[in-house]
Structure formats: structure tokens, C-alpha cells
Amino acid sequence: MGRLQSFQVVALQRGFVQIDESGGGTVLWLGRKAPDAARETHQRMCIDSLTNSATVYWMTVPGNVNSKTFRDVPALQDWFELRLETTEQRSGVQKRPQAT
């Protein structure tokens, strides 16, 4: 599986859905069904075949647009995991130990 397809698989696993694709097929836009937290909204991801990267965009309540670009899939996965842990800590939700 190519890097771009891997980016897309990770995005779909994290609740993103395809929104649009460029005419030449070089860019794929995805949007998030639901934000990680109430204070982060309008999440979008751009997977770009020209730069072999994925960029996540999100807007915070004051209206600031933030972005983070990833050149490899493991970095994107790690970032999502870190954001999930941070969100859970803010909300007071604790992870349950996994059964072995």
C-alpha cells in the first residue's frame, strides 16, 4: 500500500470522510465527522500526492486556524494518539487497561 493510501486509511479510521478530490487527482480533501473536543472544530485533512504529505487543519473557538503537516504515516498516527490522550486527560476520562 502506498503512503498516500496509508494516510487515507489512518484518516478514515479517525473519523474523517472524503469531501473532495482535485480534478487532476493530486489532492484529496477529507473532513472530520465530529471534533476531538468541543473547542476544536472544522477539522480538515489534505492528502497531497505532489508533496507526499498530509496536512491536518483545525479551528479553535477564537477562530484561529492551526495546521500540522506530516511526511510519514507513523508520525500522523502518533499525533492522533497524543491528541486523544490529551483530550481524555482534559475531560477526566481515564483509559481502561486492556485485557490480555
Side-chain angles (χ1 to χ4, degrees):
M1 180 183 312
R3 180 185 308 174
L4 300 177
Q5 287 179 320
S6 296
F7 278 133
Q8 187 175 4
V9 167
V10 170
L12 295 173
Q13 290 172 343
R14 296 296 179 167
F16 284 85
V17 294
Q18 185 172 337
I19 296 174
D20 196 13
E21 187 172 348
S22 69
T26 60
V27 173
L28 178 65
W29 281 97
L30 300 109
R32 188 96 184 242
K33 293 179 187 177
D36 277 343
R39 61 189 206 110
E40 295 176 353
T41 58
H42 307 292
Q43 296 178 350
R44 300 287 183 262
M45 181 184 294
C46 174
I47 300 174
D48 186 340
S49 67
L50 295 177
T51 61
N52 287 318
S53 66
T55 303
V56 180
Y57 300 89
W58 68 97
M59 185 184 301
T60 57
V61 170
N64 295 329
V65 175
N66 297 305
S67 67
K68 178 91 173 143
T69 299
F70 302 91
R71 302 277 179 212
D72 59 35
V73 175
L76 176 63
Q77 291 171 316
D78 290 346
W79 185 76
F80 276 128
E81 288 300 319
L82 179 62
R83 290 180 55 78
L84 178 62
E85 289 176 16
T86 302
T87 301
E88 288 175 346
Q89 289 173 357
R90 278 191 220 141
S91 66
V93 175
Q94 295 181 356
K95 284 188 173 181
R96 294 184 183 136
Q98 293 181 335
T100 56

